[in-house]
Amino acid sequence: MSRADEPVVSLDGVKVHFEKEQGLIDSLFGEPDTVGAVDGVSLEIAENDVVALVGESGCGKTTLGKTAIGIQRPTEGSVRYRGQDVWEAKDGEGEIPFEEIRRSLQIIHQDPGSALNPNRTVMRTLTAPLKRRHSEMSPEDRRARVLRMLERVGMEPPEDYAHRYPHQLSGGEQQRIALVRALLMNPDLILADEAVSALDVSLRVEMMDLLLELQEQFDTSFLFISHNLSNARYLAEKSGGRVGIMYLGELVEIGPAEEVLQNPKHPYTKVLRWATADLEPEGEVEEPPVRTIDIPDPVSPPSGCRFHTRCPKVIPPEGTDISQALYNEIMDLRNAVEKRTLRPDEDAPRDAEIARLRDERFDEPLSEPHRERVDRALAAVVDGDWDAAAEALRADYESVCERRSPTLGDERHPTACHLRDEGRRAEPSAADD
Amino acid sequence: MATTERLTATESTADTILRVRDATVSFEMDRGTARVLNGVDLDVKRREILGVVGESGSGKSMLASAMLDAVEEPGRLTGEIIYYPEEGEPVDVLNLSKAELKRLRWEEISMVFQGALSSFNPTMSVRGHFTETLRAHDADVEAGMERARELLSDLYLDPERVLDSYPHELSGGMSQRALIALSLVLEPNVLVMDEPTAALDLLMQRSILALLSDLQEKYDLTVVFITHDLPLVAGLADRLAVMYAFELVERGPAAELIRDAAHPYTRALLKAVPNLDAPLSTMRSIEGSAPDPVNIPDGCSYASRCPLADDQCLREDPGGYGAGPEHPVSCHHWRRADEAVPFETEVGE
Ligand SMILES: Nc1ncnc2c1ncn2[C@@H]1O[C@H](COP(=O)(O)OP(=O)(O)OP(=O)(O)O)[C@@H](O)[C@H]1O
Ligand code: SF4
Ligand code: SF4
Ligand SMILES: [Mg+2]
């Protein structure tokens, strides 16, 4: 296969682990904590491709993006640019020089203001990289090229903008300068990390349209990162690209934009849909459809499916006669027992205390055998034997979701969720929502 | 106060808790005087959630600061702000002593800003922030901490864990919620929130909004929620007020304003927001830019961007029309706004 046929970037089983900063005492004793910012992601980005990655803050989107453009070294797995391993090239082994790879993979940042040098005019900011890459170009040619590009991105008259400083530009205009700077490198792929969320709503569509227009003109691929599903939708759907959903370092669903948006398969994708408020005149504020609103600590991610501590559809053990709502409450209780966040009152009478803890957590009276099981565990809690309580509840209520990690298939629109694997509840989308 | 404005006459003021009249903030600059809040009138109603929406630079934070006489030097605030406690005499906020203002700010009207981390002292535990605030206001610390724990649980936080933490040990969403709890610990009646969730991801933003709606009910709060994100507050707010170029251009019941926005700017803003279901081709940016606060044009400040602008718009300030009994709008041609800026039909090239 020739280089041109190879994907621009392909990630294979990429993991990126960071050592967490520690206090002096921690670092003297024991292993440092590691954060698995990215944990086993594979992704191919073809020529002229648009991929939008969506997920919560801290889910590893930025780290994955930086790894894809070769500015973050993966702990495990490989990153290839047109078939060439990026980090081998960096070490001087490989056909494509690292310099060329770096030039071909560009980034525009979230905050355009801080990415531009405040003491340089637009012209200087934009001619500098040309000077470095194209030393053969005459200064006049460089200036002419910059002016043409400014015109291209709608900054007219270009001469007027060329001699301004960043503080004389609006946020949207600064963002366009950052985009032009990236495009002047003639890259194959641009990583746009939250490049529109910081802009005012009235400018977002315009900025995204500009990205798409340039993508077409310059045959550039885009890796677009956002916590905002509707921005991702706009960009990916308009370009016929894909939307990928990340949760705690893993890719949990990916596919053509329309399909992921219209027929989301992963319970987490549905949660993100909820989070993307649509303008409903009679809108009501509903409870978040997750069991806890905070993301777990990435230092010790949950076992099995990482979403199981928050998933509203977590799968009850086979043969257990239990409603989803009650099972969710029991799973939350298990979490509280494992984290030891219940506060039993040691001085209160034992039975009363058990009943109080139970009633605090369950809306409806518990049916048997659940009441008996819950009370047994709470008795252990009241007696101070947290481990026994956790163990007892686990024996009765362990979910397949915590035992086994679901894997992402390689279909057109794969998702990593046991509900799909087992075809248990036919279609987890429409019917049971 | 005698008023000749048509709009104030249409709004009922009986259950007003905070009344803002002709609030203006100006800064002297080399280039001239910048008016960053330009004669704003607003009544906040008791126990409502009012959403104030506007783009960056439109004057939202100035309005928030004005409500508490907290505009920073060298900004100059003029106008009138009256706070009506449930019992007792109305309070003239702009004529209070320092001590009176301090009491008002936490115990009657409390404020939450964007970026919890910068509001917290990094060297003090969260518990320290609560006890210090309670002491500074001579409140009963023990009862106050009991309330703090309840508020933290209301916000889905583990009270003991959070109280023992230092601000940097909490995630962005957790510290923002802790800050909301702190702002409520002295049982204020009004909570003014300026972009309280803008730095957080969408899921956390929406989750906090859901919690806020519960808090409002539980504690009978009046909430002023200021944001650039119209869809975010649309479902939460009872009423919405839209700011453009340092003025309020439209306000009304939330559902009515979303369905039948009467100002061309509001309509354009509604169309500019990408969403999940509308056809992509209906989404449109608003061309042009907002005026410079040093040179606010005569007549309507939206005229340079408005498809309906005519001579009258350039000449006359479009003050005070009513698109409904509780729906004032500052536009001469609001009746034609729905044709000029339609929601339904896709925008052809
Ligand atoms: N250099 C680093 N050292 C230690 N931990 C890090 C480092 N960079 C990232 N992390 C951690 O890795 C995880 C993923 O971080 P990342 O910045 O990729 O998230 P993100 O999804 O981009 O979040 P946001 O939307 O807030 O930018 C987080 O837990 C973060 O704290
Ligand atoms: S595998 Fe289980 S916990 Fe994970 S998303 Fe699917 S149903 Fe939820
Ligand atoms: S007053 Fe005139 S210019 Fe202003 S919004 Fe109305 S129609 Fe447009
Ligand atoms: Mg990030």
Side-chain angles (χ1 to χ4, degrees), chain A residues 291-292 325-326 328-337 341-343 354-364 366 374 378:
Chain A
R291 287 164 27 228
T292 57
L326 177 56
N328 289 353
E329 283 182 326
I330 288 183
M331 291 299 271
D332 292 343
L333 171 67
R334 287 185 54 202
N335 229 329
V337 169
T341 54
L342 298 179
R343 310 245 163 251
I354 294 170
R356 186 186 68 83
L357 288 172
R358 180 201 334 116
D359 295 345
E360 208 177 73
R361 306 217 45 117
F362 295 92
D363 287 343
E364 309 268 313
L366 287 174
V374 164
L378 289 174

Side-chain angles (χ1 to χ4, degrees), chain A residues 266-267 305 307-308 311 313-315 401 406 417-419:
Chain A
H266 199 282
C305 170
F307 191 49
H308 86 252
C311 182
K313 302 256 157 64
V314 57
I315 303 170
C401 302
C417 168
H418 292 309
L419 285 174

Side-chain angles (χ1 to χ4, degrees), chain B residues 220-271:
Chain B
D220 276 336
L221 293 170
T222 303
V223 178
V224 180
F225 191 102
I226 298 178
T227 177
H228 67 278
D229 194 340
L230 181 48
L232 183 74
V233 276
L236 173 78
D238 303 306
R239 282 196 312 146
L240 288 171
V242 180
M243 280 198 93
Y244 180 78
F246 331 109
E247 293 170 16
L248 286 180
V249 295
E250 175 167 17
R251 56 189 184 276
E256 186 175 324
L257 199 126
I258 300 286
R259 206 183 324 106
D260 297 317
H263 197 284
Y265 173 68
T266 313
R267 298 185 68 86
L269 197 58
L270 284 165
K271 284 172 62 128

Side-chain angles (χ1 to χ4, degrees), chain A residues 29 35 72 171 289 343 395:
Chain A
F29 306 100
V35 180
Q72 168 69 53
R343 310 245 163 251

Side-chain angles (χ1 to χ4, degrees), chain A residues 58 61-63 110 193-194 225:
Chain A
K61 312 179 290 291
T62 300
T63 308
Q110 172 159 13
D193 188 359
E194 297 288 8
I225 290 179

Side-chain angles (χ1 to χ4, degrees), chain B residues 181-209:
Chain B
L182 181 62
S183 71
L184 293 175
V185 75
L186 290 163
E187 301 178 280
N189 295 312
V190 185
L191 186 58
V192 178
M193 312 181 91
D194 186 11
E195 297 274 15
T197 61
L200 306 173
D201 66 62
L202 264 187
L203 179 52
M204 183 54 72
Q205 292 188 19
R206 285 268 279 163
S207 301
I208 289 183
L209 254 72

Side-chain angles (χ1 to χ4, degrees), chain B residues 5-39:
Chain B
E5 290 230 332
R6 278 164 284 178
L7 66 89
T8 42
T10 63
E11 280 182 300
S12 57
T13 50
D15 49 356
T16 296
I17 188 163
L18 199 60
R19 179 182 158 99
V20 177
R21 282 295 174 277
D22 198 23
T24 300
V25 175
S26 41
F27 285 87
E28 295 305 327
M29 314 217 304
D30 295 344
R31 301 188 294 133
T33 305
R35 290 202 154 198
V36 292
L37 192 64
N38 195 7

Side-chain angles (χ1 to χ4, degrees), chain B residues 128-178:
Chain B
H129 285 86
F130 277 93
T131 49
E132 186 173 77
T133 304
L134 290 164
R135 282 204 193 99
H137 290 263
D138 299 318
D140 178 339
V141 173
E142 199 172 319
M145 288 311 288
E146 203 36 61
R147 203 159 49 240
R149 275 186 281 272
E150 172 151 7
L151 283 162
L152 290 167
S153 320
D154 289 337
L155 286 155
Y156 291 178
L157 291 166
D158 177 2
E160 298 308 325
R161 216 204 105 197
V162 168
L163 288 171
D164 288 339
S165 303
Y166 283 83
H168 70 271
E169 294 172 323
L170 301 175
S171 72
M174 291 172 129
S175 50
Q176 195 65 44
R177 271 137 68 209

